[in-house]
């Protein structure tokens, strides 16, 4: 049975889509059959981050409404083996999607894939509920600032209300020297959000460049850019992987 992982944050712009694409493509490159689903109905971008915006794509709503089968609808990534993708419908609001159908759809996904990464929207409204309520694990993406940490804390509370208890934290865009200057540390951030740390991703020009050039993170040359995502993917599969030396 596969594992459904929803990526969320509360606050916009923390790097949910970057992290979804990075973890999804890393799991696939480790040999796991992985489906990435864009569930940010208003601001879909995961196709860009995965470098497949020019490919003809089906939406998860096409599959959920049985206009197409999961097998035919999930597009295989042209350059990354084991990676499949379903985009978000462009013209249907999240509260028009039947939650029972979403649950049944994700049951089918669990039968066909080892991992499913759902890229959720900002906020804690209907889109958040749709993206997260059936998750086996939720990943909160926060940056080191007080606003995203507070929003992360609120998101943890909302996830628990939805019945999602396996909640993990990814600290993204971390600048070690800056953290040191403001006397911030990862322990305090973990305490604020109230979720166990899954990984730390540094602020990186190479990660930003990958986003701008529509290059999947696992295909970039810079080891420093892709390594943090691979570490997180390996932790998800149950491997014990130490935090990057920079953040220990
Ligand atoms: N670790 C990082 N280092 C540098 N830039 C990043 C990093 N993570 C995300 N970004 C950039 O931040 C912007 C917002 O990221 P995105 O993934 O779209 O956030 P969200 O999905 O939460 O709105 C993008 O331009 C992306 O390239
Ligand atoms: Mg996004």
């Amino acid at each position: 049975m596969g594992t459904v992982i929803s990526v969320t944050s509360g606050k916009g712009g923390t790097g949910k889509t970057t992290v979804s694409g990075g973890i999804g493509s890393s799991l696939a490159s480790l040999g796991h059959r992985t489906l990435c689903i864009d569930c940010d109905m208003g601001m879909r971008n995961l196709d860009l981050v995965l470098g497949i915006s020019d490919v003809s794509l089906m939406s998860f709503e096409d599959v959920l409404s049985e206009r197409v089968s999961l097998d035919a609808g999930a597009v295989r990534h042209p350059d990354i083996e084991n990676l499949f993708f379903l985009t978000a419908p462009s013209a249907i609001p999240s509260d028009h999607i039947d939650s029972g159908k979403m649950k049944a759809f994700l049951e089918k996904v669990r039968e066909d894939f080892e991992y499913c990464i759902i890229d959720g929207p900002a906020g804690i409204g209907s889109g958040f509920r749709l993206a997260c309520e059936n998750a086996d694990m939720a990943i909160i993406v926060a940056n080191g600032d007080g606003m995203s940490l507070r929003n992360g804390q609120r998101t943890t509370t909302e996830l628990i209300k939805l019945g999602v208890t396996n909640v993990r934290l990814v600290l993204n865009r971390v600048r070690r020297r800056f953290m040191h200057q403001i006397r911030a540390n990862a322990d305090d951030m973990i305490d604020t959000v109230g979720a166990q740390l899954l990984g730390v991703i540094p602020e990186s020009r190479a990660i930003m460049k990958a986003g701008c050039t529509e290059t999947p993170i696992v295909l970039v040359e810079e080891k420093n850019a892709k390594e943090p995502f691979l570490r997180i993917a390996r932790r998800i599969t149950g491997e014990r992987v130490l935090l990057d030396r920079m953040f220990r």
Side-chain angles (χ1 to χ4, degrees), residues 12-18 119 172-173 201-204 207-208 211:
T14 58
K16 293 175 292 299
T17 303
T18 304
D119 179 24
N172 184 33
R173 307 197 77 156
I201 300 167
E203 171 73 30
S204 150
I207 293 174
M208 196 185 283

Side-chain angles (χ1 to χ4, degrees), residues 8-219:
T8 182
S9 70
K11 189 174 182 298
T14 58
K16 293 175 292 299
T17 303
T18 304
V19 168
S20 297
I23 296 178
S25 54
S26 297
L27 284 165
S29 75
L30 292 171
H32 300 285
R33 188 174 155 83
T34 302
L35 174 66
C36 283
I37 300 178
D38 194 335
C39 201
D40 190 347
M41 328 266 280
M43 304 279 177
R44 58 181 186 175
N45 274 332
L46 189 53
D47 56 329
L48 290 177
V49 165
L50 291 174
I52 46 174
S53 60
D54 56 346
V55 174
S56 165
L57 299 168
M58 302 300 283
S59 83
F60 71 84
E61 201 272 335
D62 289 320
V63 179
L64 181 145
S65 310
E66 298 182 351
R67 278 190 290 278
V68 65
S69 68
L70 176 58
D71 197 35
V75 164
R76 185 185 288 273
H77 196 286
D79 305 314
I80 304 171
E81 219 182 319
N82 303 311
L83 187 61
F84 296 79
F85 182 67
L86 280 169
T87 193
S90 55
I92 302 172
S94 52
D95 55 1
H96 285 210
I97 304 254
D98 183 281
S99 69
K101 282 190 179 164
M102 187 71 173
K103 186 176 163 68
F105 158 67
L106 290 173
E107 279 305 320
K108 223 180 286 167
V109 167
R110 283 187 185 88
E111 285 167 20
D112 270 23
F113 293 90
E114 287 176 82
Y115 291 99
C116 168
I117 306 293
I118 300 181
D119 179 24
I124 47 170
S126 60
F128 161 78
R129 204 172 326 112
L130 183 75
C132 295
E133 66 186 348
N134 297 293
D136 303 304
M137 176 197 279
I139 296 176
I140 295 180
V141 181
N143 309 139
D145 64 280
M147 288 161 288
S148 84
L149 293 169
R150 180 194 280 173
N151 293 170
Q153 180 185 50
R154 178 72 203 282
T155 309
T156 307
T157 309
E158 294 302 315
L159 285 165
I160 289 168
K161 278 194 211 158
L162 287 180
V164 182
T165 52
N166 188 5
V167 182
R168 301 297 186 88
L169 171 65
V170 166
L171 290 171
N172 184 33
R173 307 197 77 156
V174 172
R175 283 175 293 164
R176 193 167 177 266
R177 196 175 306 154
F178 181 67
M179 275 175 69
H180 187 69
Q181 277 168 4
I182 62 167
R183 298 178 196 284
N185 64 61
D187 284 345
D188 292 343
M189 294 176 184
I190 295 163
D191 286 349
T192 305
V193 176
Q196 198 185 328
L197 187 66
L198 181 66
V200 181
I201 300 167
E203 171 73 30
S204 150
R205 287 172 70 89
I207 293 174
M208 196 185 283
K209 190 173 131 212
C212 294
T213 56
E214 300 185 23
T215 309
I217 297 270
V218 287
L219 299 184

